[in-house]
Amino acid sequence: MIALRDGMSWKWNNAAVDSALEAMPEEFGLKKLLIANKAEVKQMCITEYNEAETTKHSGA
């Protein structure tokens, strides 16, 4: 189950992710991957993963 985190605005999150990626050293191995998948990175930052809820629904 994924839920939006309370109290976080998309605009703030968007700027925070952009800033973090810009500040990341070029030699950081994942930087290119994170930039190439920036939309997914931003979405992950505003959602919360609930392992117990996911496991219950998946039957694992």
Side-chain angles (χ1 to χ4, degrees), residues 14-27:
N14 206 16
V17 171
D18 288 340
S19 179
L21 291 174
E22 289 171 13
M24 197 176 293
E26 291 299 322
E27 58 274 358

Side-chain angles (χ1 to χ4, degrees), residues 19-39:
S19 179
L21 291 174
E22 289 171 13
M24 197 176 293
E26 291 299 322
E27 58 274 358
F28 185 66
L30 290 177
K31 183 173 183 174
K32 288 180 184 177
L33 176 68
L34 294 173
I35 290 173
N37 296 286
K38 194 185 288 190

